[in-house]
Amino acid sequence: MSEQSRTRPSGSATALHKAYDTALLDLDGVVYAGGEAIAHAVESLRTARDAGMHLAYVTNNALRTPAAVAAHLTELGAPAEPADVITSAQAVSRLIAEQFPAGSKVLVIGGEGLRVALRERGLVPVESADDDPAAVVQGYGGPELAWGRFAEACYAINRGVPWFASNTDLTIPSARGIMPGNGAAVEVVRIATGAVPQVAGKPLPPMHRETILRTGAKRALVVGDRLDTDIEGAFNGGVDSLLVLTGVTDAARLLAAEPRHRPTYVDEDLRGLLTGQPEVAEAEGGFGCGGWTASVAGNGHALALDGDGTALDGLRALCAAAWTEAGDGSSTLDVGKALARLGL
């Protein structure tokens, strides 16, 4: 990732689906929301795939198997095979297999996705701390996961058994709203044991390594809606990223982003894969994109926006002004008036 992409969104004269060989796509908030396809997602993915871009669906959710995820995507109309799906369960299973020999027992606190991934690595899932496990692995097990499962983890960890976690996302989206994620469950066990797990999922390197090993990507583009998992994961992996505004990140959060949370490109939705990206250039007194010029005003305390054009171009210009002013930190500028002008 270039230094320029950390201080302002980058431009690309080439459509992104032709500039990169593989899209590493998050699911919730990018491809679907509440189980239903997000507008323009399916047709954009089909067009990108038909033009030769490899699509890989990368999820921190360790509950569902790749086959189940692919089946859901296929029902929505998105092109997907089980081999196109990479999960945090696969990443954490590889991490365990690198430290313990085939045939080792692993206590599973989670769902079927973890069990399938462990077996793929020659490890043996077990259900009790009394089964003499070599390791404990914890992943999202759905809202019905019994409290007694956390107790089993604690029994084993307190005996000195190494602890692994698929991911530490504190929340996950659902059709009814935001609910506790695996990270919240991991905190229960951490508080009870004082232990710290080895974690595999986004934004940490094991997950990115898993995607590269499974896809063979030479020039990958991470596509996501979350700054602290998708975009930070791309930053840690040294690859470019596209933030889509169909999920949890709004314009104000994007403008306040610290360097590791700043995407290379910003677009409204997955149609951004099919187009080039406009250049954000230095302009007199600020930064320009499209017909907009953004600058820091109000005695250095606020963002100002002049000109006219699309809201997205205005947001890109504002990112450059805010990120440059913030340097290596998070922007604390007042962005309210500038975003109101864009209707954001």
Side-chain angles (χ1 to χ4, degrees), residues 187-210:
E187 281 298 293
V188 170
V189 177
R190 183 191 65 78
I191 291 168
T193 63
V196 177
Q198 294 184 52
V199 183
K202 296 183 286 186
L204 297 174
M207 188 65 168
H208 182 72
R209 180 182 58 153
E210 190 72 20

Side-chain angles (χ1 to χ4, degrees), residues 3-82:
E3 286 301 315
Q4 181 180 352
S5 70
R6 296 178 186 177
T7 57
R8 72 186 83 163
S10 289
S12 174
T14 305
L16 298 185
H17 72 294
K18 295 181 179 179
Y20 298 88
D21 66 358
T22 305
L24 306 180
L25 297 138
D26 185 43
L27 291 173
D28 280 314
V30 175
V31 179
Y32 53 67
E36 298 298 323
I38 288 173
H40 311 295
V42 169
E43 51 267 42
S44 296
L45 292 173
R46 285 191 170 278
T47 299
R49 196 275 308 268
D50 290 345
M53 188 179 218
H54 181 195
L55 305 180
Y57 302 95
V58 185
T59 177
N60 262 0
N61 191 324
L63 177 61
R64 295 191 295 172
T65 65
V69 174
H72 179 207
L73 289 167
T74 300
E75 288 175 3
L76 296 178
E81 299 290 339

